[in-house]
Coordinates of all heavy atoms in Angstrom, one line a residue:
L505 N 87.7 97.5 110.4 CA 87.8 98.7 111.1 C 88.9 99.7 110.4 O 88.8 100.9 110.5 CB 88.1 98.5 112.6 CG 87.0 97.8 113.4 CD1 87.5 97.6 114.8 CD2 85.7 98.6 113.3
R515 N 96.9 92.2 105.8 CA 97.0 91.5 107.1 C 98.4 91.4 107.6 O 99.3 91.4 106.7 CB 96.4 90.0 107.0 CG 95.0 90.0 106.6 CD 94.6 88.5 106.6 NE 95.3 87.7 105.7 CZ 95.0 87.5 104.4 NH1 93.9 88.2 103.9 NH2 95.7 86.7 103.6
A519 N 103.6 88.4 104.3 CA 104.7 87.8 103.6 C 105.1 86.4 104.1 O 105.4 85.5 103.3 CB 106.0 88.7 103.7
A591 N 118.8 97.9 107.8 CA 119.9 98.5 108.5 C 120.3 99.8 107.9 O 120.6 100.8 108.6 CB 121.0 97.5 108.6
I645 N 108.9 97.2 102.4 CA 109.3 96.2 103.4 C 108.6 96.5 104.7 O 108.5 97.7 105.1 CB 110.8 96.2 103.5 CG1 111.5 95.8 102.2 CG2 111.2 95.3 104.7 CD1 113.0 95.8 102.3
H655 N 111.2 78.3 107.5 CA 109.8 78.0 107.3 C 109.6 77.6 105.8 O 108.8 76.6 105.6 CB 108.9 79.3 107.5 CG 108.8 79.7 109.0 ND1 108.3 80.9 109.4 CD2 109.2 79.0 110.1 CE1 108.4 80.9 110.8 NE2 108.9 79.8 111.2
L692 N 97.2 63.5 87.4 CA 96.7 64.7 86.6 C 95.6 65.4 87.4 O 95.5 66.6 87.4 CB 96.1 64.2 85.3 CG 97.2 63.7 84.3 CD1 96.5 63.3 83.0 CD2 98.3 64.7 84.1
V701 N 94.9 75.7 93.4 CA 95.2 76.4 94.6 C 96.2 77.5 94.5 O 96.1 78.5 95.1 CB 95.7 75.3 95.7 CG1 96.2 76.0 96.9 CG2 94.5 74.3 96.0
G706 N 97.4 83.3 94.3 CA 97.9 84.5 93.6 C 96.8 85.4 93.0 O 97.1 86.5 92.5
A724 N 105.4 65.3 81.0 CA 106.5 64.6 81.7 C 106.2 63.1 81.9 O 107.1 62.3 81.7 CB 106.6 65.3 83.1

Side-chain angles (χ1 to χ4, degrees):
L505 294 178
R515 301 184 297 274
I645 294 176
H655 291 169
L692 295 180
V701 172

